[in-house]
Amino acid sequence: MQECLGIITLPNYKVSVPGNQDDSHIWSKRNPIWLQYQPNNQTRRSTESDSSVSSSKDYYLSMVNCVDKEDLYFTLLRCSRIKLNNPRPFDSTMFDKSAMNTLIRTIHSDEHQFQAAWLNALLGRMFLGIYKTPQVKDSVFQKLVEKLSRVKLPNILNDIRMKSVQLGDGVPMFTRPKLLSLKPNGDLTMDMNLLYQGGFRVEVEAEAVVTVTKGIRRIKVPLVLVVTLVRLEGRLQAWIKPPPCNRIWYGFYHKPHVEMKIEPVVSDKHIKSNLIIKAIENKMLEAIAETMVLPNMDDIPFSDTDGVGGIFGEE
């Protein structure tokens, strides 16, 4: 049995990969894991009173296998975040196990899921890894703000603004996918059934214009409403045009089945909320028909082009 030469108390160290590495290269063999000594007051006292603890120096750890290096990094990082007076580490991965269990049940729920189970599992796993991150929330929020600014409001609404967004806990499920064409020039067309039940939720502020005192006086009343997409279902077509196209265009063949729930969070006694809710719901359904029902299509870029609008080589 080999002699123990020292003990590394990980809460005294910052765990990182040096050099501000790009994500695509962070686990390459040449990059070590850096344990940088950074004691706080509590760990200084503990170190001074315990002669068995190793000296205050940095460590660089290397591994041949890149996959194992990732595992080691996450293990060291988790242990470094354990407080000396609280052995239970804080989980900051933002991962929802209940949502994952729902995904697993869904992709095995019926025979229609079997053919595309691999695709729905892949998309669902990726989504559940990122959907709570500020970057994804901000991206979706900005896209919705842009779309909302183009919606023509009903007469009873003077203004409507996005306040917050929650992405729900699931992705659209695709079944019965069919390749329609793939041409030598890169033109790709396919279609599939889509079912979404993830509970996408937005909170909006609105200003309603109402008439009081027997139609003589009009007043403006602020509202805060929560809109939840309960269900979206239909068959859609997806299309990637020939280069330089950098996006997936998609649109439903017919108006999709849409179930949404709109609830007032803040309202006024002058407002007949059912009238307001129905007007907003109709406008949202109208917006879906105008942007996502063929021949109208919406798009999802798969490559950033810095505003050029397509993928081009150097001239």
Side-chain angles (χ1 to χ4, degrees):
M1 184 176 179
Q2 294 183 349
E3 181 182 357
C4 177
L5 300 179
I7 298 173
I8 299 175
T9 306
L10 285 172
N12 296 1
Y13 290 82
K14 177 184 177 182
V15 180
S16 65
V17 176
N20 296 319
Q21 301 294 328
D22 184 82
D23 271 345
S24 60
H25 304 296
I26 191 170
W27 305 126
S28 65
K29 293 180 180 179
R30 68 176 181 270
N31 294 329
I33 299 173
W34 182 20
L35 302 184
Q36 183 181 10
Y37 188 67
Q38 290 185 342
N40 54 39
N41 292 333
Q42 180 182 3
T43 56
R44 283 196 186 97
R45 290 193 298 269
S46 175
T47 302
E48 292 170 356
S49 62
D50 189 350
S51 59
S52 67
V53 178
S54 62
S55 60
S56 56
K57 61 183 180 180
D58 292 1
Y59 294 90
Y60 294 88
L61 309 178
S62 295
M63 297 189 69
V64 174
N65 191 303
C66 301
V67 176
D68 292 339
K69 182 188 290 186
E70 182 189 42
D71 294 337
L72 176 62
Y73 173 82
F74 288 141
T75 300
L76 294 173
L77 186 65
R78 184 167 58 251
C79 292
S80 71
R81 293 176 176 177
I82 296 176
K83 304 301 180 183
L84 295 180
N85 58 351
N86 182 11
R88 183 176 181 179
F90 173 70
D91 184 6
S92 61
T93 58
M94 298 182 288
F95 190 73
D96 190 336
K97 290 184 179 179
S98 63
M100 178 57 69
N101 289 331
T102 299
L103 173 64
I104 293 171
R105 287 195 301 269
T106 302
I107 63 175
H108 294 97
S109 59
D110 57 54
E111 67 276 9
H112 300 307
Q113 288 281 348
F114 178 76
Q115 187 177 9
W118 68 271
L119 175 61
N120 291 322
L122 176 62
L123 295 177
R125 172 61 185 89
M126 293 170 62
F127 172 79
L128 292 178
I130 64 174
Y131 76 120
K132 291 185 179 181
T133 62
Q135 297 90 331
V136 172
K137 286 186 176 182
D138 291 344
S139 176
V140 174
F141 183 87
Q142 293 302 324
K143 188 175 180 65
L144 289 175
V145 168
E146 294 173 7
K147 288 186 176 295
L148 194 60
S149 66
R150 298 193 294 267
V151 174
K152 186 178 179 181
L153 300 176
N155 294 331
I156 57 176
L157 287 179
N158 192 40
D159 189 22
I160 186 168
R161 299 173 301 278
M162 287 286 302
K163 188 175 180 182
S164 66
V165 59
Q166 298 293 331
L167 301 186
D169 59 2
V171 294
M173 291 290 170
F174 300 103
T175 56
R176 296 183 177 179
K178 182 179 180 181
L179 176 64
L180 301 180
S181 68
L182 176 59
K183 300 176 182 178
N185 66 352
D187 189 284
L188 169 65
T189 309
M190 62 183 71
D191 63 14
M192 63 211 74
N193 290 345
L194 178 146
L195 173 62
Y196 177 76
Q197 301 177 101
F200 182 85
R201 170 188 172 107
V202 297
E203 190 171 320
V204 298
E205 294 178 317
E207 188 176 73
V209 180
V210 297
T211 303
V212 296
T213 63
K214 298 182 180 181
I216 299 175
R217 187 164 63 94
R218 293 165 64 85
I219 62 171
K220 297 178 180 179
V221 181
L223 300 168
V224 177
L225 303 170
V226 172
V227 183
T228 304
L229 180 57
V230 178
R231 186 182 184 92
L232 174 66
E233 184 176 13
R235 188 161 186 86
L236 59 79
Q237 181 184 109
W239 181 23
I240 302 179
K241 301 177 186 178
C245 179
N246 71 320
R247 62 199 63 228
I248 302 172
W249 291 94
Y250 64 93
F252 291 95
Y253 286 104
H254 306 285
K255 287 184 179 181
H257 172 70
V258 181
E259 294 180 23
M260 64 179 67
K261 182 168 62 175
I262 305 177
E263 300 172 298
V265 177
V266 178
S267 62
D268 190 276
K269 63 182 180 181
H270 295 295
I271 296 291
K272 293 182 178 179
S273 59
N274 290 338
L275 180 64
I276 301 293
I277 288 172
K278 193 63 179 178
I280 293 177
E281 182 177 354
N282 289 339
K283 275 298 172 182
M284 289 185 170
L285 294 175
E286 182 181 313
I288 291 174
E290 291 178 352
T291 59
M292 290 191 292
V293 178
L294 297 175
N296 302 306
M297 304 184 86
D298 204 347
D299 65 289
I300 303 174
F302 56 78
S303 176
D304 187 14
T305 63
D306 295 324
V308 177
I311 303 172
F312 298 92
E314 295 182 1
E315 296 184 0

